[in-house]
Amino acid sequence: MEEGYYNSHFQKGASSNPANYRPVSITSVFGKVMERVVAADMLDYLLSNKLLNSNQHGFLSKRSTLMNLLESISDWTISLENRFANHVAYIDFSRAFDDTVCHPKLLHKLKSYGTEDVLHQWIGNFLTERSHCTRVNSVYSPFEYIRSGVVQGSCLGPLLFLIYICYSECVKSVLCLQCFDAVGWAAGRASGL
């Protein structure tokens, strides 16, 4: 079983609220180098095989959240110019990174994307049989078994999260994915315009 230590990094809000801290895994230099190599190769494979949705903006080069906002505003403006009403919904995935990624489902999705057996097993080992404790100042929590989520502070974690939330191009709605958020909209005729 892999044991890890987390430093808690304050995000925002009341510093007395533990939910306002983000756990960041402390990993070895060798581990980070290995993760970077795996992540770079996986991303190249996903992009070259068009396995990531073209509306994905977070974690991709030249596809920032600013580009997401500019594309959204452009689409909304065109819709309004054509006398359509815009209905917009934002979804915040920021807390999903920690605990909603189901390891068996992620591994199944990776397998369906054509992940080779050795890499698939390596990622499975990377995700499962892990435990962690959190350090705040010089105080350590007891070790806890990690049942879901991806490792925060890792090089591979964001890509695995992206794969987990990515959906097929065949979805017939407009949905732009950012790093930890999604924005969806629909346009329709507004009465009285």
Side-chain angles (χ1 to χ4, degrees):
M1 178 182 292
E2 186 72 28
E3 290 185 343
Y5 293 90
Y6 283 88
N7 276 336
S8 293
H9 291 278
F10 180 70
Q11 290 183 287
K12 61 182 176 184
S15 61
S16 59
N17 184 352
N20 293 331
Y21 288 83
R22 181 174 67 101
V24 176
S25 179
I26 302 168
T27 58
S28 69
V29 173
F30 176 76
K32 284 205 180 277
V33 169
M34 181 68 174
E35 285 181 53
R36 284 189 193 278
V37 169
V38 170
D41 285 350
M42 282 181 62
L43 184 58
D44 183 55
Y45 173 81
L46 293 167
L47 292 172
S48 64
N49 289 287
K50 298 183 182 351
L51 293 172
L52 294 179
N53 190 290
S54 61
N55 289 324
Q56 176 60 45
H57 283 76
F59 308 121
L60 297 177
S61 176
K62 300 177 186 169
R63 301 284 293 171
S64 68
T65 54
L66 176 59
M67 289 301 302
N68 173 282
L69 181 60
L70 293 173
E71 287 178 18
S72 297
I73 290 172
S74 175
D75 289 346
W76 298 337
T77 302
I78 292 168
S79 176
L80 290 172
E81 286 173 351
N82 289 312
R83 304 179 66 89
F84 286 99
N86 289 312
H87 305 279
V88 181
Y90 278 87
I91 302 167
D92 180 8
F93 286 128
S94 62
R95 298 280 184 206
F97 196 84
D98 300 339
D99 55 9
T100 58
V101 175
C102 173
H103 296 159
K105 287 180 181 177
L106 173 60
L107 291 169
H108 177 75
K109 193 166 192 178
L110 286 167
K111 195 67 159 174
S112 72
Y113 280 6
T115 307
E116 294 181 11
D117 290 339
V118 173
L119 178 60
H120 191 265
Q121 183 177 355
W122 186 88
I123 293 171
N125 290 338
F126 175 78
L127 290 172
T128 59
E129 299 299 320
R130 295 178 76 95
S131 64
H132 73 276
C133 77
T134 302
R135 182 186 75 173
V136 177
N137 298 325
S138 60
V139 179
Y140 291 85
S141 71
F143 275 93
E144 294 286 333
Y145 179 71
I146 300 173
R147 291 175 172 74
S148 62
V150 293
V151 181
Q152 287 207 25
S154 72
C155 304
L156 192 55
L159 180 60
L160 294 175
F161 181 74
L162 176 101
I163 292 166
Y164 187 74
I165 66 167
C166 194
Y167 64 95
S168 169
E169 285 285 353
C170 68
V171 174
K172 298 293 183 195
S173 65
V174 179
L175 182 67
C176 282
L177 297 171
Q178 300 175 17
C179 293
F180 299 113
D181 300 302
V183 58
W185 67 90
R189 284 276 177 216
S191 60
L193 288 182

